[in-house]
Amino acid sequence: VCSLGLLWRFEAQDARSAVRANAEYRATLRNHAGWPLDEHAGGVVFAELVSNVVRHAPGRIQIDLECDGTDVILSVADDGPGFDFTAPAAPGALSEGGRGLFLVSQYATALHVARRNEGGSKVRATLRSLPTPA
Amino acid sequence: LIIRLAGEEWDLSTCEELEELLAPAMEHPTVVIDMTAVRYMDSSSLRKLVQMYQKRVNRAGFSCARLVISSPNIRRLFAIVNLDEIWPIFETLEEACSDASISNDPAP
């Protein structure tokens, strides 16, 4: 059973910590021992979720990456006002915004958003595996 | 005019820089944006590209920018958010520069 479990905590505005966490996160996906993961899809999920916190809930951010032997799950928690999540529709090509969470919904295989009891939101995204060769 | 994006990653922290790099494209009637080096692009950077498209699309005599994207991951990204519908996308810079099928009329 894969025992992957990593945690990053930093202030969302701390761009240097975000870059370092992103690099460590992607290296972890690349070297995941359990099964091959779609590193690019996982990278998009990470970037969009962290950007979301920077833009809408600046403050402390906590990122967890864990594997339960079946799924690899990225969780991003913030201290912001919280938000109610509805599955985003595909934005029009010329739409000004609305691409961030839509991309997350397309690149993750499952997405769950919850308000935290202590305040803020926690987004859990199940990361995409690479297709196994036939 | 050919603009080459040398950066591999474009995200919230670099999208303002992207806007500055693309600014010359606003003033040139024909432009190719070479994104061969790009490996990651986030929604804030895509938004800057769309804003550039919007600024050009109604200018008389200005053609739609041509994009060079060789990375399958970035092509997939553009397809997911339907941006491949508004831009002519090419695999190589040579193809983008030699394609004569694109008129100087903006895309519909």
Side-chain angles (χ1 to χ4, degrees):
Chain A
V1 174
C2 177
S3 58
L4 171 64
L6 285 170
L7 168 71
W8 296 272
R9 270 199 203 108
F10 51 91
E11 292 295 315
Q13 306 294 346
D14 178 359
R16 188 175 295 183
S17 292
V19 167
R20 189 168 58 232
N22 193 355
E24 291 171 0
Y25 162 79
R26 277 197 234 149
T28 305
L29 298 193
R30 201 158 46 240
N31 298 316
H32 181 237
W35 57 89
L37 294 165
D38 186 334
E39 183 191 340
H40 184 263
V44 171
V45 170
F46 184 102
E48 296 298 341
L49 291 181
V50 172
S51 289
N52 229 29
V53 176
V54 173
R55 281 185 297 190
H56 302 298
R60 196 173 47 179
I61 184 170
Q62 178 171 316
I63 303 168
D64 293 272
L65 181 65
E66 54 197 331
C67 178
D68 63 7
T70 306
D71 292 314
V72 177
I73 294 167
L74 172 71
S75 302
V76 177
D78 65 61
D79 294 334
F83 68 101
D84 294 314
F85 178 75
T86 48
L94 297 179
S95 163
E96 264 289 301
R99 292 186 188 86
L101 277 180
F102 178 71
L103 282 171
V104 173
S105 73
Q106 297 298 299
Y107 278 109
T109 57
L111 191 59
H112 178 75
V113 183
R115 288 176 185 268
R116 303 161 72 207
N117 291 335
E118 59 271 46
S121 302
K122 185 172 187 175
V123 182
R124 284 169 56 86
T126 305
L127 301 184
R128 190 171 290 280
S129 304
L130 284 175
T132 40
Chain B
L1 178 71
I2 297 171
I3 296 177
R4 178 172 289 125
L5 299 184
E8 292 188 4
E9 305 203 8
W10 297 93
D11 58 22
L12 189 61
S13 66
T14 51
C15 68
E16 298 299 328
E17 189 186 338
L18 178 65
E19 187 172 30
E20 288 169 21
L21 278 168
L22 294 176
M26 305 299 154
E27 307 307 322
H28 204 280
T30 307
V31 64
V32 176
I33 302 175
D34 184 355
M35 296 169 55
T36 303
V38 176
R39 294 291 170 264
Y40 279 92
M41 190 159 246
D42 81 333
S43 58
S44 55
S45 305
L46 293 174
R47 184 180 181 167
K48 296 293 184 193
L49 287 175
V50 169
Q51 288 171 346
M52 183 199 71
Y53 176 92
Q54 298 275 37
K55 283 180 185 168
R56 291 177 63 84
V57 73
N58 292 321
R59 288 185 73 169
F62 276 55
S63 65
C64 183
R66 304 173 187 192
L67 306 187
V68 181
I69 304 177
S70 55
S71 159
N73 285 330
I74 301 298
R75 294 176 84 96
R76 175 173 62 154
L77 179 77
F78 273 65
I80 286 175
V81 289
N82 301 316
L83 293 180
D84 57 345
E85 291 175 4
I86 60 171
W87 276 297
I89 296 177
F90 299 85
E91 289 257 0
T92 67
L93 185 59
E94 290 70 26
E95 287 173 32
C97 293
S98 64
D99 189 293
S101 66
I102 300 168
S103 73
N104 246 25
D105 297 325

